[in-house]
Amino acid sequence: MAIVALVPGNWAILAALVLMWALTFGRLSRVEAVFCVAVCVFFTAMNAASLKQGIFAFSSPDLLGMPVWEVFMWGFYLLHTRRVLDGPAPHGQRATVWILALLYAAAFASIHDGDTLLLVTGVLLAVGLVLFHERLDLAYTGYLILFGAAIEYTGVLSGRWHYPGNPPGGVPLWFITLWGGVGLFLRRLVVPILVRYESAATSAAPGAGREGESAGG
């Protein structure tokens, strides 16, 4: 947040962020690297759609209405959250999670009125939490709401981006449903995929079978 708020110039911000990530994240597994790329591609598309709708705007865009560093931010947000909270993969009702996630994405890509967006996504998040409310579901949802508040107010107060209509404090209330929904779907939709591929990668690692046989002996 300090880098985004204080470093002058978009490319300088990106360079400082990459250095900070390299020092703090350590080595990424292949699964984590693919995860980060996929998240960045998805949220770049979502941001582009939202920017086109006029939901918010960046002050100094470079491409697709965004500064160059924004293209990489959501990969950092979600990998950070996964490493902080971690936990086992949930099970069950995968079809329901996919339907809710698609409706959520469609709402943010197509609704430009802030009050309507808050209402629709608030209902979807409420439904999601009624259906999925394990301790880690609530942890992922709550953590990303708090993290998102810090990011949003840092960005707005430092002038990096702004929202139309002069909402109180500069940030509209639908940021709660945006970040909370991302947290819930990260836990319910993405973590099971990550755990499955991480388990497959561990099983395929050289020596994994021999170690298992040795332990069994």
Side-chain angles (χ1 to χ4, degrees):
M1 288 183 284
I3 289 171
V4 169
L6 302 176
V7 174
N10 290 341
W11 287 96
I13 290 174
L14 177 60
L17 287 170
V18 170
L19 177 60
M20 185 269 290
W21 296 335
L23 293 173
T24 57
F25 271 130
R27 182 179 180 274
L28 299 185
S29 69
R30 181 177 299 179
V31 173
E32 286 178 329
V34 171
F35 165 64
C36 283
V37 171
V39 167
C40 290
V41 170
F42 174 78
F43 277 97
T44 294
M46 290 295 298
N47 271 348
S50 296
L51 289 163
K52 188 175 181 180
Q53 291 290 332
I55 290 177
F56 72 110
F58 287 98
S59 300
S60 301
D62 296 307
L63 70 165
L64 299 175
M66 290 168 267
V68 63
W69 48 266
E70 175 65 17
V71 174
F72 301 91
M73 292 302 288
W74 279 96
F76 158 65
Y77 298 150
L78 299 198
L79 180 59
H80 161 82
T81 302
R82 168 79 194 296
R83 287 198 173 182
V84 168
L85 299 178
D86 201 10
H91 301 284
Q93 294 185 278
R94 297 282 291 167
T96 303
V97 178
W98 273 106
I99 291 170
L100 282 173
L102 290 172
L103 290 173
Y104 224 79
F108 279 102
S110 61
I111 299 174
H112 64 273
D113 177 70
D115 292 338
T116 304
L117 184 62
L118 176 62
L119 175 63
V120 171
T121 56
V123 169
L124 290 173
L125 181 58
V127 170
L129 290 174
V130 168
L131 295 174
F132 310 110
H133 48 264
E134 294 178 1
R135 181 180 62 84
L136 278 173
D137 294 324
L138 301 179
Y140 272 79
T141 303
Y143 183 79
L144 266 177
I145 289 174
L146 294 176
F147 186 57
I151 295 293
E152 293 287 357
Y153 283 101
T154 295
V156 167
L157 294 177
S158 64
R160 298 300 185 187
W161 62 85
H162 60 273
Y163 293 91
N166 297 316
V171 181
L173 288 178
W174 54 256
F175 90 86
I176 297 172
T177 59
L178 168 64
W179 290 86
V182 170
L184 180 62
F185 295 126
L186 173 61
R187 205 270 161 155
R188 278 284 158 178
L189 194 63
V190 180
V191 168
I193 298 172
L194 290 177
V195 168
R196 184 167 68 249
Y197 280 101
E198 286 168 345
S199 298
T202 301
S203 299
R210 291 192 296 274
E211 290 172 5
E213 291 171 6
S214 175

